[in-house]
Amino acid sequence: SEAHGARTPLRSAMAPPMDESVLRLGLIADIQYADIDDAIGFFGDRRRYRNALVVARAAVDFWNTVGIDAVVQLGDAIDGYNAQRGCGTAAALAHVLAELERCTARRRFDLVGNHELYNLTRSQLLSSGLHCFGPDGKAYRSEKLNERWQAIILDPFEVWTRGYDLPEDRFVQEAVEVLRKNNPQVLEAGRSWLDGVPEHLQRFTPLNGGASQEQVRWLDAALAAASGAGRKALVF
């Protein structure tokens, strides 16, 4: 084991033989690592920022023991505090990637979360070491996992107020219009986002993003293609 100074083998003796009809995935979300002391998060929960690396390490150790085909990292690998407090976005991301890259799975897919975009623009993400984009440069993509299973990976922050190099980007402007229509007080400096806002509209805040109509049409087509090929689809 790693505790005794040895690396876990590519396929542990404990792992069952791999069957192409069976898919084993390792899922992890909201690592949100930062080299800062524990603190209370936005929603009042206690966040253990440094301990996030310990959790990621334990996940990889487990995956290597049981044997998995791919990792899906569901976004927010590092915390926005890295950029806000100037404590090192590049260093934080390097620490997280060092843990994830110990995994012996053949592939890893990374999703774009809001915390990635607090730290980096989309153009910077392309060279960050995260696997967030397909060959066409889009973060939403369809990936064959094995002969039976297809991964449909979405971009939940395609329409958002941050993450683009120019504030006049069409997706930024679309996001602003959605907020203005549904919860305009989030656009007013110093005003509470949620006071007096009906519950069904409280999701319209700068914390949340959305998909363009183009992406929604693509999703319909990707699901239809998987079904037409007789394949099961997992949507992330």
Side-chain angles (χ1 to χ4, degrees), residues 40 54 59 84 94 102 116 150 165 172 180 185 217 221:
I40 302 301
V54 177
Q84 183 178 330
R102 292 190 307 108
E116 275 79 21
Q150 192 81 9
D165 292 319
V172 175
R180 182 174 289 117
Q185 64 199 51
R217 289 191 294 270

Side-chain angles (χ1 to χ4, degrees), residues 11 14 31 36-37 39 43 49 72 82 85 97 114 122 125 165 179 196 221-222 230:
R11 286 293 181 197
M14 296 174 59
I31 299 171
I36 59 175
D37 293 339
F43 295 104
Y49 295 100
V72 183
N82 289 289
R85 297 188 180 183
L97 289 174
N114 57 332
R122 286 173 176 269
L125 275 177
D165 292 319
L179 293 174

Side-chain angles (χ1 to χ4, degrees), residues 80 83-84 114 117-122 157-165 171-172 175 206:
Q84 183 178 330
N114 57 332
L117 300 177
Y118 291 143
N119 283 277
L120 302 164
T121 65
R122 286 173 176 269
F157 288 91
E158 181 189 23
V159 176
W160 202 40
T161 55
R162 302 181 66 160
Y164 294 94
D165 292 319
F171 292 129
V172 175

Side-chain angles (χ1 to χ4, degrees), residues 40-185:
I40 302 301
F42 183 83
F43 295 104
D45 55 325
R46 185 166 186 80
R47 306 308 305 267
R48 294 174 171 82
Y49 295 100
R50 292 191 180 98
N51 192 63
L53 279 186
V54 177
V55 176
R57 185 175 305 129
V60 172
D61 288 344
F62 177 76
W63 297 335
N64 287 347
T65 297
V66 300
I68 61 172
D69 301 294
V71 171
V72 183
Q73 189 273 116
L74 294 163
D76 291 353
I78 57 175
D79 197 85
Y81 273 141
N82 289 289
Q84 183 178 330
R85 297 188 180 183
C87 48
T89 290
L93 187 54
H95 283 302
V96 172
L97 289 174
E99 296 301 334
L100 295 177
E101 289 169 359
R102 292 190 307 108
C103 185
T104 56
R106 295 188 296 270
R107 305 168 78 185
R108 189 187 81 240
F109 306 102
D110 299 307
L111 274 71
V112 178
N114 57 332
H115 283 264
E116 275 79 21
L117 300 177
Y118 291 143
N119 283 277
L120 302 164
T121 65
R122 286 173 176 269
S123 58
Q124 291 170 328
L125 275 177
L126 286 167
S127 59
S128 68
L130 291 169
H131 305 156
C132 293
F133 300 95
D136 62 357
K138 290 184 169 63
Y140 56 89
R141 57 213 190 269
S142 180
E143 301 279 358
K144 182 179 179 180
L145 296 172
N146 66 13
E147 291 305 316
R148 184 180 182 188
W149 293 95
Q150 192 81 9
I152 309 294
I153 299 171
L154 301 181
D155 182 355
F157 288 91
E158 181 189 23
V159 176
W160 202 40
T161 55
R162 302 181 66 160
Y164 294 94
D165 292 319
L166 299 174
E168 60 268 24
D169 185 278
R170 68 184 179 97
F171 292 129
V172 175
Q173 294 304 308
E174 183 177 342
V176 171
E177 286 306 309
V178 170
L179 293 174
R180 182 174 289 117
K181 177 181 177 181
N182 294 281
N183 187 7
Q185 64 199 51

